[in-house]
């Protein structure tokens, strides 16, 4: 029994939970790597500032992890509660990566606990670095496994359907589906990129808005911007592969995102613009752009929406999300490039207040790009929950209480969102780095006496 | 051993693990709140927080592991339990979320308010109550198949003596398990004031815990006679459980060997859990779902078991390291170290 109202509210609740969760999850995947790098740089350069950087990031990170863990538990349960028919079917094929994800999460949880509660227990900083490696690995692997599940929903394979029954199931074939390589790579690189920019925002805020002159903030900003540049370039390259994947395996998503209606050779690429009665207006048209993007060949044929029945077309508004994601991604890459080069060449530009404001904005903008990207990819596979196999409307629960649950969860996310931001601000206001450095020096001097 | 039995055993182990670690966690939150209300905060808070802080996240993973494994090994449970449990499971999730986040906010973020501590303690009682609904439903009689889909009958659920007995059982055992463990932990920490207070709590909750547990067996007689018969066949396991229970109470009473008292308590719950689990066989949801008709295909089952073994090879050494560094580290337990980030 499926009622349309439950389908609608289930979609809204899932979207809300995931949109909230991915903010914390992205930070949860990327920041451990940044912490590990800072610790490693600190050891290599014998520079206490980087080690302190690692620890101060960790303190804030714990708060975001807590919210990530609890919202992750929520989405884990909601998969079965809101989409019981989907989980019953897909569980037969895709349970393996879901299961492995919990192992990765377990592994990370254990070592994070150890790392934060052995602060100063070991004299040798390398031991702390060794504890950080499993944290970073666990975080990245849980992202890999859960993205594999999502990739499967876009490109289901590894089973046959004979008379409505699933047969010949092969869990590994299901995991290594065609969508998996680009999805996993894109999720990881954007998570690292976003985390780098989020941390850069903090450094920029202290340095350029609050006017702190401390060398600690300079090191933090330069390190994170360099990392941001590296990962945003990687993201752009992988993003291009993702486009080529779509052209090959999921042409309706690409066609909807690019407003490509007629199948044709030498297809142009539309940037921005609005859709008015099926007409693209005010768009920036790049001749042959889509053919190049999709097949690296200006004359290649790109499949348009005309090849798909109307009831299998994704919503066309995903074009705006696509534009937003790509524009922000390109903009951030450029910003990081200018900053890193500016530091080397000592351009006066990088000390300007307006430029500082841009740097402060980079973290939130990266998060917006992440949201836009996920909305685009998820809405882009509508009407399917399992592309070509199960429609979203067939998968939802029949329960009449989803709307009430939606309100309860909205309230929860509001509380968690406000709570985590307030606590984070409080933590760092109460204990600025200048204070902490002074305290540490005092402690050391005390030891010597 | 068939793959079905292996699968349900793996899940049983994780469910049991969750029951024990979560009980300690929920009970600790409650005792902490209780100590704030009764002005005994200075005695308990330190010892409770020192234990909970490094492990709170791990507790959560046990639960995630259980339900992900359940859907993995028995995908049909997603259909039956997913459809019926929307409300109770959502409420439990929301409470767990508030609890987890609040814990991190106070401990790491330094946000400390009396009323939050009390609220936190109370969630520790509501969560076991809402989670234990799953056990109630599995007994059958609360779910009807209507319009081709399973539906939970809330009226029958809320008026059934069995559901209330199980809710009360979950509450008393949470408090009992937690108090016994914390008594031992406080003793190890050489915090004798806390140990004495917790010992009193443990003794106070021992009676209610064993009475409600016995009450369930009586309830079962009218509710699900088939299950009741199977329970009686396992009388010796229950006998063993009662024996362990008596041992724990005796040791606590005489103020000796708190560590061994906790081992006996673990034995008591293991025996009871085993008896309950075995007698439930082969049903996952009486009478609609058995472990045989809901089991996943063979290829997936083999893959899951392989992943499970590989995962354990990573987990067991890591968990051992965690315990060694905190639970069994004398300096840490006694509060001589403060290595907190």
């Amino acid at each position: 029994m499926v009622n349309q109202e439950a389908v609608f509210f289930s979609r809204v609740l899932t979207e809300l939970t995931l949109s909230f969760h991915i903010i914390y999850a992205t930070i949860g995947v990327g920041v451990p790597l940044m912490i590990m790098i800072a610790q490693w740089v600190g050891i290599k350069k014998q520079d206490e500032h980087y080690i302190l950087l690692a620890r101060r990031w960790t303190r804030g990170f714990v708060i975001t992890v807590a919210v990530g863990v609890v919202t992750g538990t929520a989405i884990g349960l909601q998969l079965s509660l809101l989409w019981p028919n989907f989980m019953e079917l897909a569980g037969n094929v895709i349970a393996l990566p879901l299961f492995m994800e919990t192992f990765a999460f377990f592994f990370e949880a254990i070592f994070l606990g150890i790392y934060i509660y052995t602060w100063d227990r070991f004299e040798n900083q390398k031991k702390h670095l060794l504890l950080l490696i499993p944290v970073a690995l666990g975080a990245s692997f849980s992202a890999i496994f859960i993205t594999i599940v999502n990739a499967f929903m876009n490109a289901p394979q590894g089973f046959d359907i004979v008379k409505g029954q699933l047969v010949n199931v092969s869990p590994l074939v299901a995991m290594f589906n065609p969508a998996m390589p680009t999805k996993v790579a894109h999720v990881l690189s954007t998570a690292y990129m976003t985390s780098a920019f989020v941390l850069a925002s903090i450094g920029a805020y202290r340095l350029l808005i609050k006017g702190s002159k401390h060398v600690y903030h300079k090191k933090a900003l330069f390190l994170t911007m360099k990392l941001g540049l590296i990962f945003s370039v990687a993201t752009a390259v992988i993003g291009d592969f993702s486009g080529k994947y779509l052209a090959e395996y999921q042409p309706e998503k690409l066609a909807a995102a690019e407003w490509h209606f007629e199948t044709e050779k030498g297809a142009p690429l539309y940037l921005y613009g609005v859709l008015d009665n099926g007409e693209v207006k005010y768009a920036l048209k790049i001749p042959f752009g889509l053919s190049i993007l999709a097949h690296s060949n200006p004359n290649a044929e790109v499949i348009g929406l005309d090849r798909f029945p109307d009831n299998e077309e994704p919503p066309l508004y995903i074009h705006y999300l696509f534009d937003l994601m790509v524009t922000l991604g390109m903009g951030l890459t450029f910003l990081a490039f200018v900053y890193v080069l500016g530091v080397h060449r000592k351009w006066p530009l990088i000390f300007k207040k307006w430029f500082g404001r841009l740097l402060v904005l980079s973290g939130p903008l990266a998060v917006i790009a992440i949201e836009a990207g996920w909305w685009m990819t998820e809405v882009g596979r509508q009407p399917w929950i399992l592309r070509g196999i199960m429609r979203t409307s067939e998968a939802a629960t029949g329960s009449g209480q989803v709307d009430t649950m939606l309100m309860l969860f909205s309230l929860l996310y509001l509380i968690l969102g406000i709570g985590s931001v307030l606590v984070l601000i409080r933590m760092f206001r109460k204990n600025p780095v200048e204070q902490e450095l002074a305290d540490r020096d005092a402690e050391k001097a005390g030891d010597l006496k | 051993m068939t793959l079905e039995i292996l699968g349900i055993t793996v899940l049983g182990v994780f469910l049991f693990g969750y029951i024990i670690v979560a009980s300690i966690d929920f009970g600790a939150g409650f005792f902490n709140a209780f100590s704030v209300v009764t002005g005994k905060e200075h005695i308990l808070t330190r010892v409770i927080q020192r234990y909970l802080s490094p492990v709170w996240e791990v507790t959560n993973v046990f639960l995630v592991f259980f339900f992900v494994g359940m859907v993995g090994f028995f995908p049909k449970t997603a259909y039956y339990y997913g459809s019926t449990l929307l409300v109770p499971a959502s409420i439990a999730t929301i409470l767990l979320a508030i609890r987890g986040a609040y814990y991190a906010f106070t401990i790491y973020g330094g946000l400390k308010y009396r009323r939050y501590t009390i609220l936190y303690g109370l969630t520790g009682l509501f969560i076991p109550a809402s989670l234990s609904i799953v056990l109630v439903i599995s007994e059958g009689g609360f779910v009807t198949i209507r319009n081709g889909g399973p539906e939970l009958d809330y009226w029958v659920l809320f008026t059934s003596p069995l559901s209330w007995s199980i809710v009360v059982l979950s509450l008393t055992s949470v408090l009992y398990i937690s108090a016994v463990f914390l008594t031992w932990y406080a003793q190890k920490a050489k915090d004798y004031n806390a140990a004495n207070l917790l010992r009193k709590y443990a003794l106070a909750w021992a009676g209610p815990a064993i009475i409600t547990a016995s009450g369930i067996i009586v309830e079962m007689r009218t509710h699900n006679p088939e299950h009741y018969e199977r329970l009686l066949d396992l009388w010796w396991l229950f006998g063993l459980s009662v024996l362990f229970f008596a041992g724990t109470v005796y040791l606590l009473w005489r103020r000796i060997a708190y560590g061994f008292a906790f081992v006996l308590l673990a034995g008591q719950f293991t025996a009871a859990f085993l008896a309950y689990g075995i007698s439930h066989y082969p049903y996952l949801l009486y009478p609609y779902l058995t472990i045989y008709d809901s089991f996943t295909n063979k290829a997936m089952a083999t893959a899951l078991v392989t992943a499970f073994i590989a995962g354990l090879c990573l987990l067991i050494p890591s968990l051992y390291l965690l315990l060694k560094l905190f639970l069994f580290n004398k300096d840490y337990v006694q509060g001589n170290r403060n290595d907190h980030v």
Side-chain angles (χ1 to χ4, degrees):
Chain A
M1 186 193 69
V2 167
N3 60 50
Q4 285 312 308
E5 213 171 66
V7 175
F8 174 74
F9 286 119
S10 297
R11 286 186 61 188
V12 176
L13 179 49
T14 309
E15 179 169 7
L16 181 73
T17 303
L18 278 173
S19 299
F20 188 73
H21 176 64
I22 54 171
I23 299 173
Y24 295 89
T26 303
I27 291 172
V29 172
V31 169
L33 184 76
M34 306 299 142
I35 296 172
M36 196 181 95
I37 292 174
Q39 176 82 12
W40 179 66
V41 172
I43 293 171
K44 230 182 80 176
K45 291 192 172 171
Q46 289 294 317
D47 185 335
E48 177 123 5
H49 284 153
Y50 288 99
I51 300 213
L52 191 60
L53 194 59
R55 292 183 176 183
R56 285 178 67 86
W57 283 346
T58 308
R59 253 184 246 147
F61 174 65
V62 183
I63 303 292
T64 60
V65 163
V67 180
V69 167
V70 296
T71 51
T73 311
I75 189 64
L77 269 164
Q78 278 176 4
L79 275 181
S80 296
L81 296 174
L82 299 175
W83 311 99
N85 301 308
F86 161 70
M87 279 309 275
E88 187 196 356
L89 181 74
N92 282 298
V93 196
I94 203 64
L96 182 62
L98 217 54
F99 197 61
M100 287 159 89
E101 198 258 338
T102 53
F103 272 116
F105 172 37
F106 217 142
F107 198 53
E108 181 196 349
I110 290 173
F111 281 93
L112 185 65
I114 295 177
Y115 172 70
I116 56 179
Y117 278 89
T118 51
W119 165 266
D120 282 346
R121 192 184 283 198
F122 312 117
E123 274 299 310
N124 187 348
Q125 284 299 332
K126 282 186 186 143
K127 282 193 182 165
H128 294 285
L129 180 64
L130 282 181
L131 288 172
L132 281 167
I133 293 171
V135 178
L137 275 181
S140 291
F141 270 97
S142 51
I144 291 172
F145 291 128
I146 207 66
T147 310
I148 288 176
V149 176
N150 182 269
F152 172 79
M153 293 160 86
N154 281 279
Q157 65 169 32
F159 59 95
D160 296 317
I161 297 181
V162 180
K163 292 179 196 149
Q165 297 286 314
L166 285 183
V167 291
N168 299 333
V169 173
S170 168
L172 286 179
V173 176
M175 277 177 72
F176 293 95
N177 58 68
M180 177 252 179
T182 45
K183 271 212 181 253
V184 166
H186 200 65
V187 163
L188 284 182
S189 70
T190 51
Y192 300 148
M193 167 184 165
T194 304
S195 302
F197 282 116
V198 166
L199 297 172
S201 285
I202 302 171
Y205 179 77
R206 284 275 155 217
L207 204 57
L208 299 157
I209 308 294
K210 285 279 160 186
S212 163
K213 293 273 180 288
H214 206 287
V215 66
Y216 169 91
H217 297 302
K218 279 185 193 152
K219 288 175 185 169
L221 183 60
F222 189 54
L223 176 68
T224 48
M225 282 311 255
K226 260 197 298 194
L227 291 169
L229 178 62
I230 294 168
F231 289 117
S232 53
V233 170
T235 298
V237 173
I238 297 160
D240 181 55
F241 287 137
S242 305
K244 291 182 168 49
Y245 157 79
L246 285 182
E248 189 73 29
Y249 292 94
Q250 247 179 320
E252 76 279 16
K253 193 191 270 185
L254 184 71
E258 305 294 2
W259 288 344
H260 181 59
F261 302 109
E262 309 289 330
T263 303
E264 61 180 331
K265 287 183 176 162
L269 182 69
Y270 291 103
L271 288 178
Y272 314 108
V274 289
L275 201 60
D276 185 24
N277 283 331
E279 290 276 314
V280 181
K281 281 186 180 165
Y282 315 116
L284 194 67
K285 183 177 171 184
I286 303 171
F288 307 107
L290 189 57
S291 289
I292 296 173
L293 181 76
H295 302 287
S296 304
N297 172 3
N299 287 314
E301 185 182 77
V302 183
I303 296 172
L305 284 173
D306 56 340
R307 294 279 175 90
F308 295 90
D310 283 353
N311 64 355
E312 286 180 20
E313 267 181 25
L316 292 173
Y317 72 80
I318 63 170
H319 175 76
Y320 303 114
L321 297 171
F322 183 78
D323 279 347
L324 185 63
M325 170 185 82
V326 173
T327 311
L328 287 175
M330 291 295 170
L332 287 170
T333 314
F334 185 66
L335 184 71
F337 178 72
V338 169
Y339 183 81
V340 172
L341 199 66
V343 169
H344 275 297
R345 297 271 170 93
K346 300 200 168 50
W347 287 344
L349 166 82
I350 57 166
F351 301 106
K352 292 265 174 13
K353 198 129 191 171
W354 66 267
F355 193 76
R357 288 209 181 94
L358 269 183
L359 294 179
V360 173
L361 272 179
S362 67
L365 290 178
V367 172
I368 292 173
I370 291 268
E371 296 280 359
W374 270 116
W375 291 332
M376 182 231 142
T377 188
E378 292 305 283
V379 178
R381 73 181 148 96
Q382 289 308 318
W384 303 106
I385 192 164
L386 272 178
R387 181 180 178 269
I389 293 167
M390 188 185 237
R391 281 174 182 267
T392 309
S393 55
E394 300 160 339
T397 177
S399 173
Q401 285 110 356
V402 188
D403 48 347
T404 322
M405 295 303 115
L406 173 63
M407 290 203 288
L408 280 179
F409 276 101
S410 310
L411 198 66
L412 169 72
Y413 302 143
L414 194 70
I415 295 171
L416 292 183
I418 295 174
S420 56
V421 170
L422 286 183
V423 166
L424 281 172
I425 292 175
R426 227 179 88 114
M427 271 170 89
F428 289 94
R429 279 243 169 95
K430 273 182 80 176
N431 187 17
V433 71
E434 289 81 1
Q435 180 72 42
E436 189 166 357
L437 280 168
D439 288 350
R440 283 183 80 78
D441 286 343
E443 210 170 277
K444 272 193 191 144
D447 280 347
L448 290 175
K449 273 174 200 168
Chain B
M1 195 188 252
T2 61
L3 276 173
E4 285 89 343
I5 303 280
L6 184 65
I8 199 73
T9 309
V10 166
L11 296 177
V13 168
F14 272 86
L15 181 60
F16 186 72
Y18 181 68
I19 289 175
I20 298 294
V21 290
S23 291
I24 295 172
D25 184 271
F26 295 146
F30 179 78
F31 290 132
N32 192 25
F34 188 66
S35 72
V36 168
V37 175
T38 54
K40 289 175 179 153
E41 196 182 0
H42 57 284
I43 307 180
L44 288 188
T45 299
R46 262 167 52 93
V47 81
I48 286 177
Q49 283 183 356
R50 215 177 303 136
Y51 164 72
L52 286 183
S53 298
V55 299
W56 77 268
E57 230 190 327
V58 176
T59 309
N60 221 30
V61 191
F62 273 92
L63 177 68
V64 177
F65 204 103
F66 172 72
F67 69 70
V68 169
M70 195 73 189
V71 176
F73 278 107
F74 305 97
K76 274 206 176 67
T77 54
Y79 176 66
Y80 281 93
Y81 281 107
S83 303
T84 47
L85 285 174
L86 178 70
V87 177
S90 293
I91 290 173
T93 318
I94 289 172
L95 291 174
L96 273 173
I98 292 177
R99 192 183 165 78
Y102 170 69
Y103 188 77
F105 292 175
T106 46
I107 302 305
Y108 308 118
L111 195 80
K112 281 205 176 78
Y113 295 104
R114 200 181 137 92
R115 60 177 184 277
Y116 290 152
T117 310
I118 295 167
L119 260 178
Y120 178 76
L122 286 178
T123 56
L125 296 185
F126 286 118
I127 296 169
S130 54
L131 286 179
S132 62
I133 298 291
V134 184
L135 288 182
V136 182
I137 290 173
S138 75
E139 287 306 325
F142 303 101
V143 173
T144 43
I145 305 290
R146 224 174 282 160
N147 305 330
E151 260 180 47
L152 182 59
D153 193 329
Y154 285 97
W155 175 250
V156 178
L157 182 71
F158 281 113
T159 52
S160 155
L162 179 71
S163 39
W164 290 108
S165 310
I166 291 186
V167 166
V168 176
L169 172 68
S170 72
L171 294 184
T172 51
S173 9
V174 157
L175 296 173
Y176 177 56
I177 293 173
S178 187
V180 174
F181 175 82
L182 290 171
T183 307
W184 171 48
Y185 191 73
Q187 183 78 8
K188 267 188 68 167
K190 300 214 163 108
D191 192 341
Y192 302 113
N193 282 332
N196 278 333
L197 187 60
L198 287 159
R199 170 184 165 269
K200 273 185 211 147
Y201 293 157
L203 288 173
W205 285 106
I210 197 81
I211 291 168
T212 42
S214 327
I216 304 288
I217 301 181
V218 180
E219 289 294 337
M220 208 65 94
R221 195 163 121 187
T222 45
H223 188 87
N224 185 341
E226 195 184 329
H227 193 178
Y228 178 70
E229 287 302 317
R230 294 186 59 100
L231 275 172
L232 286 194
D233 290 344
L234 294 163
W235 62 270
W236 56 276
L237 263 175
F238 287 106
L240 205 62
S241 182
V242 172
L243 216 62
F244 286 141
F245 168 77
T248 312
V249 174
Y250 175 77
L251 292 175
L252 286 174
W253 187 257
R254 293 285 313 274
R255 296 170 194 269
I256 44 172
Y258 290 154
F260 190 57
F262 182 72
V263 172
L264 287 180
L265 171 122
Q268 176 205 338
F269 278 88
T270 311
F273 186 81
L274 263 180
Y276 177 80
I278 295 172
S279 61
H280 212 291
Y281 173 86
Y283 292 103
L284 287 171
L285 173 62
Y286 184 85
Y288 301 113
L289 204 60
T290 69
I291 61 172
Y292 295 101
D293 53 39
S294 64
F295 200 58
T296 187
N297 55 80
K298 207 168 168 202
M300 180 53 80
T302 322
L304 287 179
V305 169
T306 315
F308 180 72
I309 292 168
L312 280 190
C313 294
L314 268 182
L315 277 192
I316 290 173
S318 324
L319 271 175
Y320 173 75
L321 185 64
L322 184 76
L323 293 178
K324 197 175 155 249
L325 283 173
F326 300 106
L327 207 50
F328 301 125
N329 185 290
K330 228 169 130 196
D331 282 342
Y332 176 79
V333 172
Q334 295 179 3
N336 297 337
R337 312 196 59 101
N338 186 18
D339 300 327
H340 188 339
V341 168

